[in-house]
Amino acid sequence: MAHSAANPAGDLISQILQALDKSEPLVSADAFPAAPFVEIKAALDRLKSRDMVRYDTIERQEALLEPEGEEIAANGSHEARVFEAVQKAMEGLSVKELEETIGDKNVVKIGQGKAFKEKWISKTKDGKFKAIAESIKDVTRGQLETIKTTRTHPNAKTLADLKKRKLIRMQKVISFRIHKGDKFALEIPDEATDLTADMIASGSWKTATFKPYNFKALGAAQMAGALHPLNKVRAELRSIFFEMGFEEMPTNKFVESGFWNFDALFVPQQHPARDLQDTFYIADPPLADKPRAESPDDKKDYEAYWNHTKAVHQDGEFGSIGYRYPWSGDESLRLVLRTHTTAVSASMLHKLAAVEGPDGRPPPARYFSIDRVFRNESVDATHLAEFHQVEGVIADYNLSMGELMEFMDIFFGKMGITGLMYKPAYNPYTEPSMEIFSYHAGLGKIVEIGNSGMFRPEVLETMGLPKDMRVFGFGLSLERPTMIKYGISNIRELLGHKVDLNFVQNSPAVQFGGKA
């Protein structure tokens, strides 16, 4: 049994089948010029899914008249109208008289210049226009009439000139060349979508036509939550750290005292990083408490740590001559939005100093953190006032700079980044320090990917760590690898109110390549 739908789409399907039965192939633009593109495409797709037709897409450029072109096609070109008006006046026309005769100053302004150029008119001694040609051919009008009828012109240069004069516009038109399919028929057969018990009992399934499965059809959109691209990259980095035996540090304090953020890391109180133009300070409360135990189990001597920190800055201690300036306790207790997660690393290393391993000394440790930090920076395409820092710290005995470089090769190798290059750098709390670079094939240049160094004795021995315990740290931003991974050039498209939610929803999962 077959059916023909009673709706407009069904009527169009029937028209296509009837026309194709009479003539093959069929061009949709010629056979159904008034049918909307969307309806034609829907009808053909429905027939194609049943193998009743097959079609090819035809794309072509059509020329359409602009309003001024429509006027010229109807009334003649500006220059032709000027000539006709002047020709009718036996004694010629002045500019004012010509404008009154034609009724459009713009036509006179444009038309007289072209008429002079074509040598159709001339100017008399008394300033009037006079016709000097017996007859003319209005080429522009003829061209536009041809285009209006055929929607094209055999001369491509003519089309380009008319488009430049803004008399026509080009428009892409899509049509279809339609052929009969393997199952062509004049009506769409009924198709069963389910095999029912009644069909099995009656045996009608043997002759029934079943609708085929469309395995290419997209599933229904799932309105589910989605991880932000930063969280996807963060999750991958965390898995790398855990794989390498790191412990995650607690980073739930966005506000730190200047002591942990700067002084414990041997950053002098006159350092530019502590200026208002680089750091966000908290106005209320104005000062933090001095470092103190945060739980009954914490038995460390914080007063001694405070005094050692003051001494190593002001007078020098543990073999260091210090910075030799009057160290201020109030400056150390000013509250800041942390400028780096190394403030957390300092606290963790201080706690490590009180831990006794099997040999009575602090045991080796590996810590990492990935969290938000804040800098008072001008916002541009690559900088925000807040970003995420990825940091790792390794503490062990008798470590060397070579081991730090070897570890960097392994760590970044797990991210698919190889061929690292190192450049000496300066950090107040690490010495020696290195910036880490690598060639990025996508960007076609060498880019900085991180910073690293060995913590200074002024930082470690002040905490109470043994002289032979070495600590090296490294860090990078979370935003940079995310931007590179997803091809983002403006950081404001990754964070903030300009983020495209569709990008968040559809961004693919992250898996770093490469083998360590």
Side-chain angles (χ1 to χ4, degrees), residues 136-407:
I136 64 167
K137 182 178 181 182
D138 194 347
V139 177
T140 302
R141 183 179 189 177
Q143 292 170 342
L144 292 174
E145 287 175 338
T146 300
I147 291 171
K148 187 174 183 179
T149 305
T150 63
R151 297 201 172 189
T152 188
H153 195 278
N155 191 325
K157 187 176 182 300
T158 298
L159 289 174
D161 290 342
L162 293 174
K163 183 180 178 184
K164 187 176 180 181
R165 292 171 62 183
K166 297 183 179 179
L167 299 178
I168 65 170
R169 69 180 185 276
M170 302 306 294
Q171 176 178 287
K172 184 171 77 170
V173 177
I174 299 176
S175 59
F176 305 97
R177 183 179 291 105
I178 311 165
H179 303 266
K180 293 179 180 178
D182 294 336
K183 297 181 181 178
F184 176 80
L186 293 178
E187 291 184 330
I188 298 178
D190 283 329
E191 292 180 328
T193 56
D194 297 298
L195 178 63
T196 64
D198 291 339
M199 294 172 70
I200 295 174
S202 65
S204 62
W205 64 272
K206 297 178 182 178
T207 56
T209 300
F210 290 94
K211 185 176 181 179
Y213 283 107
N214 183 4
F215 292 104
K216 295 181 180 179
L218 297 176
Q222 301 299 309
M223 301 306 293
L227 286 177
H228 191 281
L230 282 173
N231 279 335
K232 294 177 181 179
V233 175
R234 181 179 182 271
E236 186 70 10
L237 286 171
R238 287 181 80 237
S239 67
I240 292 175
F241 276 116
F242 287 133
E243 177 189 337
M244 300 183 75
F246 281 76
E247 174 188 343
E248 189 165 17
M249 295 185 281
T251 54
N252 54 348
K253 292 182 181 178
F254 285 176
V255 177
E256 288 280 6
S257 69
F259 179 84
W260 289 113
N261 199 78
F262 298 118
D263 294 278
L265 295 168
F266 201 53
V267 179
Q269 293 182 344
Q270 299 82 13
H271 195 279
R274 300 178 77 150
D275 292 343
L276 286 172
Q277 62 263 31
D278 292 310
T279 301
F280 291 110
Y281 283 90
I282 307 300
D284 187 23
L287 299 177
D289 294 336
K290 291 174 67 174
R292 55 181 170 80
E294 297 181 358
S295 69
D297 299 331
D298 191 348
K299 304 299 183 183
K300 294 184 289 298
D301 188 348
Y302 284 91
E303 187 65 28
Y305 183 35
W306 172 270
N307 292 332
H308 283 310
T309 301
K310 176 181 178 179
V312 81
H313 278 257
Q314 183 171 286
D315 306 310
E317 199 174 9
F318 307 110
S320 170
I321 63 173
Y323 291 117
R324 292 174 287 181
Y325 68 92
W327 186 81
S328 168
D330 285 348
E331 178 68 25
S332 183
L333 295 179
R334 292 180 70 185
L335 287 166
V336 301
L337 289 177
R338 67 182 180 206
T339 60
H340 49 192
T341 53
T342 317
V344 183
S345 302
S347 177
M348 293 297 293
L349 291 172
H350 181 240
K351 292 177 182 178
L352 178 66
V355 178
E356 290 188 4
D359 57 357
R361 301 185 301 171
R366 294 186 174 199
Y367 302 122
F368 84 94
S369 65
I370 307 174
D371 212 336
R372 193 170 301 186
V373 297
F374 307 86
R375 305 276 176 87
N376 191 2
E377 294 187 348
S378 299
V379 175
D380 58 28
T382 57
H383 296 86
L384 290 177
E386 57 180 293
F387 60 96
H388 295 78
Q389 181 175 338
V390 181
E391 179 164 339
V393 173
I394 296 179
D396 208 337
Y397 293 92
N398 300 314
L399 292 175
S400 68
M401 196 68 172
E403 288 170 293
L404 169 59
M405 297 171 72
E406 181 186 17
F407 178 83

Side-chain angles (χ1 to χ4, degrees), residues 428-484:
Y429 46 90
T430 58
E431 181 61 37
S433 306
M434 299 183 301
E435 290 175 346
I436 308 168
F437 296 82
S438 178
Y439 179 79
H440 188 274
L443 299 177
K445 63 180 181 179
I446 295 172
V447 296
E448 182 183 353
I449 57 174
N451 209 323
S452 63
M454 306 285 292
F455 276 84
R456 295 175 66 109
E458 291 94 335
V459 176
L460 304 179
E461 293 185 37
T462 304
M463 295 174 176
L465 290 168
K467 285 182 177 292
D468 57 347
M469 175 167 267
R470 305 283 185 267
V471 178
F472 54 65
F474 58 94
L476 61 148
S477 76
L478 181 62
E479 282 76 7
R480 172 159 290 185
T482 305
M483 291 173 70
I484 292 174

Side-chain angles (χ1 to χ4, degrees), residues 24 66 96 102 104 166 238 357 372 419 431:
E24 183 188 10
E66 296 284 12
K96 185 176 181 180
I102 294 178
D104 191 329
K166 297 183 179 179
R238 287 181 80 237
R372 193 170 301 186
E431 181 61 37

